[in-house]
Amino acid sequence: MSNTAHQYKLPDGVSILDGRGGLSVVSVKTPWSSAEVYLHGAHVTHFQKNGEPPLIFVSQCSRFAEGQPIRGGVPIIFPWFGACEGRKGQHGFARNADWKLNAATKDGQGRVKLEFQLPDCAEAAAFPKFTLKFFVTVSEILEMELQTANLSASENLEFEDCLHTYFTVGDIAVVSVHGLKGASYLDKTDNFAKKVENDDAIHFNSETDRPYLNTTATVEIRDANLGRRILVEKENSASTIVWNPWIAKAQQLSDFGDEEYKQMVCVESGNVAVNKLVLPPGKCSSLRVRLKSKKSA
Ligand code: BG6
């Protein structure tokens, strides 16, 4: 195992197991829920409240292998989103790195907090010196915090970040996404055309790939099939990306089932495109996301 977790005692309910593809996974059980986070990418692949279907979707066709991204869960997108001119790889290098588990703690109420850190890697050398930490708190809700610190004494650290969350839904045909009315977005299915969201709710009947910009709003996913509402609350995030690959793109993705687009929707919180962050020397910034779910009325 490529981590130091054995050097200290893990709290009750937390264990490190050999996961899929032989990759190490941190398994968490709390009085309210269960969760799993792979060290590969510090990738949350599971969160489920007792008595509810899983909140997080992972493709049955996902790869679980060194150097390959996991399809589903919560990929950590850093330090760039999408393609980046002059650099190799889509969505940055953090999602393919093996992270270190720094700490696992449990508070008096039974909430479990995990702290991960991106180790030094060759790709990071092209940037001013930084640290990237990821905190996952598991309770009745799932809280995630991506913390970036610029350690350079003289250079700004410019980056995009995003918690690219895949949600489980019962049937995409009856899912709606609320909270983005009035926001402008780039329509990646229409050559990045700049558009404005005029509708109260986004519905899905074709490929949808939209970075919404300059929006800090909470987003709600309403799922009539599973009878569930999911709230995506965020802090220090000016962008929300809504993505569903639909039929043709699903068929093109080798690590995604042809029919799986019906069971997922991505609502991603971060800072991308014009919302990219410029962190001055010595400064730190934290992207925070809280996921809550409840039965629909
Ligand atoms: C979304 C992008 O965030 O991620 C899409 O807006 C992209 O364009 C999708 O297709 C999945 O990306 P990847 O690299 O995981 O296949």
Side-chain angles (χ1 to χ4, degrees), residues 69-71 75 77 81-82 90-91 95 162 164 166 188 207 209-211 241-243 249 253 255 266 268:
I70 293 170
R71 173 65 67 197
I77 308 305
F81 177 85
Q90 146 121 336
H91 286 334
R95 68 173 172 168
C162 182
H164 188 312
Y166 288 68
K188 291 175 80 172
E207 183 185 352
D209 191 355
R210 304 178 180 174
I241 298 92
V242 178
W243 181 61
K249 183 89 187 265
L253 294 170
D255 57 352
C266 285
E268 313 164 28

Side-chain angles (χ1 to χ4, degrees), residues 20 25 35-38 43-47 54-64 69-75 164-169 228 255-257 259-261 263-266:
R20 296 178 59 186
V25 61
E36 284 181 356
V37 189
Y38 276 76
H43 200 123
V44 176
T45 52
H46 175 72
F47 175 72
L55 193 77
I56 300 292
F57 166 91
V58 175
S59 170
Q60 308 247 326
C61 306
S62 177
R63 297 184 187 97
F64 282 82
I70 293 170
R71 173 65 67 197
V74 187
H164 188 312
T165 311
Y166 288 68
F167 292 96
T168 302
V169 296
R228 177 161 73 179
D255 57 352
F256 189 83
E259 300 287 322
E260 285 185 319
Y261 72 93
Q263 263 74 62
M264 55 70 68
V265 65
C266 285

Side-chain angles (χ1 to χ4, degrees), residues 108-158:
Q109 291 177 304
R111 282 187 292 246
V112 168
K113 186 168 185 178
L114 307 174
E115 177 187 322
F116 299 89
Q117 182 165 350
L118 181 75
D120 284 341
C121 56
E123 295 95 330
F127 290 80
K129 196 155 175 50
F130 67 87
T131 54
L132 187 65
K133 290 185 180 176
F134 185 51
F135 300 88
V136 179
T137 306
V138 185
S139 64
E140 197 180 4
I141 66 173
L142 182 69
E143 298 171 79
M144 298 178 284
E145 176 181 349
L146 186 66
Q147 192 185 82
T148 311
N150 181 359
L151 303 184
S152 163
S154 55
E155 283 180 273
N156 287 337
L157 176 67
E158 292 192 13

Side-chain angles (χ1 to χ4, degrees), residues 52-235:
E52 269 194 23
L55 193 77
I56 300 292
F57 166 91
V58 175
S59 170
Q60 308 247 326
C61 306
S62 177
R63 297 184 187 97
F64 282 82
E66 303 280 347
Q68 304 277 349
I70 293 170
R71 173 65 67 197
V74 187
I76 295 178
I77 308 305
F78 179 94
W80 64 86
F81 177 85
C84 180
E85 216 182 304
R87 298 190 197 279
K88 268 214 310 223
Q90 146 121 336
H91 286 334
F93 49 81
R95 68 173 172 168
N96 282 332
D98 284 322
W99 291 54
K100 185 170 158 270
L101 179 64
N102 279 345
T105 53
K106 182 150 87 169
D107 71 11
Q109 291 177 304
R111 282 187 292 246
V112 168
K113 186 168 185 178
L114 307 174
E115 177 187 322
F116 299 89
Q117 182 165 350
L118 181 75
D120 284 341
C121 56
E123 295 95 330
F127 290 80
K129 196 155 175 50
F130 67 87
T131 54
L132 187 65
K133 290 185 180 176
F134 185 51
F135 300 88
V136 179
T137 306
V138 185
S139 64
E140 197 180 4
I141 66 173
L142 182 69
E143 298 171 79
M144 298 178 284
E145 176 181 349
L146 186 66
Q147 192 185 82
T148 311
N150 181 359
L151 303 184
S152 163
S154 55
E155 283 180 273
N156 287 337
L157 176 67
E158 292 192 13
F159 62 96
E160 295 171 293
D161 62 3
C162 182
L163 297 173
H164 188 312
T165 311
Y166 288 68
F167 292 96
T168 302
V169 296
D171 178 4
I172 192 71
V174 292
V175 165
S176 54
V177 170
H178 302 248
L180 294 164
K181 188 175 185 182
S184 62
Y185 65 93
L186 305 174
D187 188 346
K188 291 175 80 172
T189 68
D190 186 14
N191 204 19
F192 288 79
K194 200 169 173 190
K195 302 182 180 175
V196 174
E197 185 58 68
N198 292 315
D199 296 331
D200 287 328
I202 301 161
H203 299 273
F204 299 85
N205 48 30
S206 61
E207 183 185 352
T208 304
D209 191 355
R210 304 178 180 174
Y212 286 85
L213 303 170
N214 303 314
T215 173
T216 56
T218 294
V219 170
E220 183 173 318
I221 302 167
R222 295 188 192 160
D223 180 345
N225 184 288
L226 291 181
R228 177 161 73 179
R229 289 179 175 208
I230 302 168
L231 284 180
V232 183
E233 296 177 355
K234 56 184 200 155
E235 286 170 43

